[in-house]
Amino acid sequence: RAAYDHSQPCVAIIKHANPCGIAIASDIKSAYSAANSCDPVSAFGGVVATNRTVTVDMAKSLSEVFTEVIVAPGYEAGAIEILAAKPSIRILELANYKIAKEEWRPITGGLLIQDSDLIDASGDLSENWQQVSGGEISAQVKNDLEFAWRSVRSVKSNAILLAKNGASVGVGMGQVNRVDSAKLAVARAGERSQNSVAASDAFFPFADGLQILLDAGITAVVAPGGSVRDAEVIEAAKAANIAMFFTGVRD
């Protein structure tokens, strides 16, 4: 799902149910290289998913990294032979990906049936976002914000994702507060956080989490909004002169 949330060629590398790298590009090999560059330490032993046929070029790049599983809609002639030479790799083909309308989750003493999370709700579309700070943004920044918002959906909360040029550069996830997730995303991004954009899967309850991202050099941020302290968060964004958008929906 992380790969198929994007229409462009996309690769998502998953580790312990969280993406450690997601990227889009003009071709699937470039998308894989960009996704792997986000966090190559965590990508070691990961699960690689694509929304395009795996080419021979991508297979060659992937064969240089220890990978547990690869799942793709198909494989170019010769690609499987390259991948199969790696010991213990599991090569899966999912030719007809489709999101079910409902998700069924077993719980103690019962079963939870809920609508599947769809990425194209009205609030997910950038034309419906509310800009609450900053001025006009470039087409590249807008594209990166849209990419970050679609990508952070796959990150388990508290989720912060930094992106630049159609690729994640830092991901913070699985923390019990948004401040720690912001610190983790920034730490993993390092210098790449400069001039990146950020997406948060839920509102910032205080300005402190956003301030960590601002101090790291982000230029724009997208979040649902909806906190009782939204005004405080917006003021922090205005003080830093960055563009901030509220979607009105939690990712």
Side-chain angles (χ1 to χ4, degrees), residues 37-102:
S37 294
C38 177
D39 186 356
V41 173
S42 299
F44 184 86
V47 173
V48 174
T50 82
N51 65 354
R52 294 290 195 279
T53 296
V54 173
T55 62
V56 168
D57 284 344
M58 179 188 167
K60 289 177 180 177
S61 293
L62 190 144
S63 68
E64 298 173 359
V65 180
F66 173 59
T67 301
E68 293 275 7
V69 180
I70 179 168
V71 55
Y75 296 85
E76 201 173 77
I80 289 181
E81 288 76 9
I82 294 170
L83 297 171
K86 300 290 291 183
S88 303
I89 190 172
R90 297 155 182 82
I91 304 170
L92 307 179
E93 182 176 305
L94 181 61
N96 297 302
Y97 174 82
K98 185 170 66 173
I99 298 177
K101 291 183 178 180
E102 294 179 342

Side-chain angles (χ1 to χ4, degrees), residues 131-153:
Q131 185 168 2
V132 295
S133 74
E136 187 175 353
I137 60 174
S138 68
Q140 181 61 58
V141 170
K142 181 183 177 183
N143 290 340
D144 280 341
L145 282 169
E146 291 173 342
F147 166 80
W149 181 248
R150 298 181 81 86
S151 298
V152 79
R153 191 268 282 267

Side-chain angles (χ1 to χ4, degrees), residues 103-124:
E103 291 180 341
W104 293 33
R105 300 291 178 90
I107 59 175
T108 301
L111 181 70
L112 172 65
I113 302 175
Q114 60 186 4
D115 293 338
S116 295
D117 180 25
L118 302 179
I119 197 64
D120 291 316
S122 60
D124 291 316

